[in-house]
Amino acid sequence: MGWLSLKEYQLNNLTTDKNSNLSKLQLPAQSEAVCRTPYGLPNRYATGDAPFSIKSGDFNNDKKLDIAVANAKSNDISVLLGNEDGSFQNQTTYSVGSYPQSVTIGDFNNDSKQDLAVANTESDNISLLLGNGDGTFQNQFIYSTGSSPTSLTVGDFNHDNKLDLAVVNNGEDTITVMLGHGDGTFQNQIKYAVGHSPYFVTVGDFNNDTNLDVIVANNNENDKSISVLLGNGDGPFQNQTKYAVADNSYSVTVGDFNNDTKEDLALVNFILNSVSILFGNGDGTFHNETEYLVGFHPFSATVGDFNNDSKLDLAVVNAFGNSASILLGKGDVILGDFNGNNKLDLIVSNSGSNTIEVMLGNGDGTFQNRKKFITGSQPSFVATGDFNSDTKLDLVTSNNDDLDRSISVLLGNGDGTFQNQTKYTVADTPHSLAIGDFNNDNKLDLVVGNLDDNSVSVILGNGDGTFHSPTKYRVGISPFFATIADFNNDINLDLAIGNLDSNSISVLLGHGDGTFQDQTVYEVGHGPCSLIAEDFNNDNKLDIAVANYFDNYVSVLLGNGDGTFQNQAKYEVDDGLSFVTAGDFNNDTLVDIAVANYKGSSVSVLLGNGDGTFKGAIMYSTGISPSWVLSADLNHDGKLDLVLINSYENSIGVMLGNGDGILQTPILYTVGTGRASMALGSFKDNNKFDLAVSNAIDNTITIFLNDCS
């Protein structure tokens, strides 16, 4: 099911401006001049207390989508009228019953004006608010239901062109059906037995008889099921048919996921952290479920065509993971075109922060599904290069297991797939990995940092995808990262190694024949775990930037052009630096620095002044514990983007750049377990940056093929 690849978004790098109800990036004081909300980032709007449910409609007939939100703890509804640019006016609130958990929209009195219906869980009733057509609503009318209504939905159950309601009664294991008179009033309720602790209800035509049917998610530990009640078309429903499912579900979403013109179901499994798909047979029955893993404690789901390929996609809110497969948040996600650009946008209600957030859609579909390939034990680093001179990119991983002591080489087929691995033995605990031509024979060679051997292994390539035996060179304690560059301008590649436990970097100058001089050691911060070589002061001499894990700063060592370096300059960032990269993020032709902050769960961008100094750090929230960051133009817009590994979330995050030094909110993609490193390259030879991620725990690599046009 290619449509179900996880595309997750983070929204937690925003703070609310109480005066304007808009959102701003968390920037330091010296960067206030560029503080703004770029296109694509969410805007935040105040609601009532604990917004549990959200729906969109045109409440004032201006052909712009508006929003209604049920606020459970403040016992009211928030109505936010939409503006032409996709933004919303401040809320207007309307009192309803006690603890409203669900809101739906329909024209219940046939006056061509949209009305609201609300399920009030603690007062055992629903509220009906008739719309005036100008964005305002009349005071509520109350209708009794069963015990503890938690969800309601709307449909014409008896083909009389008058809207009816179906309400889930969580406290008594029933649903209530209320047939509408077409004037805003309803007939007496009819109750139907369902499973234990029903929580959510939705409708669809599951047997293709043009009559609406009802689906109920039963949320009880001893009754993990859904109830299907087929409609007769005259208002009443048949008795339930129950289907056992994997887990308790708070939400059921309907859509035709396999394009067979039969409606299917998507259930979110709260405990199992997954989504179950039940394909419909078209006769009111369903196939056994197919399960897909998502984030932590998924709560709600919705569907839409997010990449404009005429196939339904799925967005799942992971309530306790502070993430979603499309958009981050807690509560109920809805869809609509809020800025009139024919691309679906998303809105999420956040129960904990009493806000709603809007994400305007880009409609580009981003990456395809992942693919996995077997490596050695605990692959920690991955790099790309053409090792057999066939113009197709290959992969190499360092396998960090003490008993494995190897690297794996996987030759590429040129279509995004790879041949089985060939392994080469190195020394104890191979960790870092870098690629270059060390003996000037136009064949790619490898250097591997051996963490527990305090050495690096240089492995010369034969040009046919095979390699010589390694040669070892002594460096500092726990060589954690290696980079390659010509530091003394002699056209021969040199090595720079970050020594994690000796708080230093080692520079080994190359002779050009595959051998190297003894190390020269330079002091840096505590725990140097990543470094990069760039010309930060435009003097045509390479400099080095170092991420120091145990300090909150980046070390910058300016090069003298002869293989030696000046003492470090320090630049403060966030906590637990794990990886550093460089690039021109604001298109001023000066080199900037980006740092992944593992402990701070953030990325810091330091814009360069062109003289080897940098402006203060701009901080962006990321996924949990980013351990790696790379820069590239991923969407071919001439602006540098970032991609990060989020170690504690089994995910990577893509942050698109705006070209002015500002980055958009991360888009998250699920990978394997034990994320260790990643590399970029065009594996299909189409000039698009694809991504390879090494998964240290499940001994695989994950390949993402870039689908941007």
Side-chain angles (χ1 to χ4, degrees), residues 117-281:
V118 184
N120 304 308
T121 302
E122 293 183 354
S123 54
D124 298 337
N125 56 33
I126 64 168
S127 298
L128 182 69
L129 293 83
L130 297 179
N132 296 317
D134 58 0
T136 64
F137 292 85
Q138 300 175 31
N139 291 336
Q140 63 177 327
F141 294 93
I142 301 295
Y143 293 89
S144 294
T145 62
S147 175
S148 301
T150 54
S151 173
L152 77 170
T153 191
V154 64
D156 181 6
F157 301 137
N158 56 351
H159 296 284
D160 64 353
N161 296 316
K162 301 169 185 176
L163 284 184
D164 312 310
L165 289 173
V167 185
V168 161
N169 302 309
N170 181 258
E172 62 181 44
D173 301 342
T174 65
I175 63 167
T176 292
V177 174
M178 304 167 66
L179 299 179
H181 291 132
D183 58 0
T185 64
F186 295 88
Q187 298 178 30
N188 291 336
Q189 59 179 312
I190 306 170
K191 291 185 179 179
Y192 297 87
V194 290
H196 294 305
S197 305
Y199 189 85
F200 188 87
V201 62
T202 191
V203 296
D205 180 11
F206 302 115
N207 57 351
N208 291 326
D209 64 354
T210 72
N211 300 324
L212 282 182
D213 312 311
V214 170
I215 297 285
V216 179
N218 303 308
N219 191 22
N220 185 280
E221 184 63 29
N222 297 317
D223 186 9
K224 298 176 180 178
S225 66
I226 60 170
S227 296
V228 178
L229 293 83
L230 298 179
N232 296 319
D234 55 0
F237 290 83
Q238 299 175 32
N239 290 336
Q240 66 173 325
T241 300
K242 290 174 67 175
Y243 294 84
V245 293
D247 191 13
N248 295 326
S249 180
Y250 289 99
S251 174
V252 180
T253 302
V254 177
D256 179 10
F257 300 128
N258 56 350
N259 291 326
D260 64 354
T261 70
K262 301 169 185 176
E263 290 195 323
D264 312 311
L265 302 177
L267 292 79
V268 292
N269 301 316
F270 186 76
I271 301 299
L272 295 180
N273 302 327
S274 65
V275 173
S276 292
I277 306 300
L278 289 81
F279 292 107
N281 295 315

Side-chain angles (χ1 to χ4, degrees), residues 56 65 334-339 343-347 359-361:
S56 65
L65 283 182
I334 63 160
L335 292 171
D337 179 12
F338 296 108
N339 58 347
K343 300 174 183 176
L344 283 179
D345 310 316
L346 290 170
I347 297 182
M359 175 68 79
L360 300 181

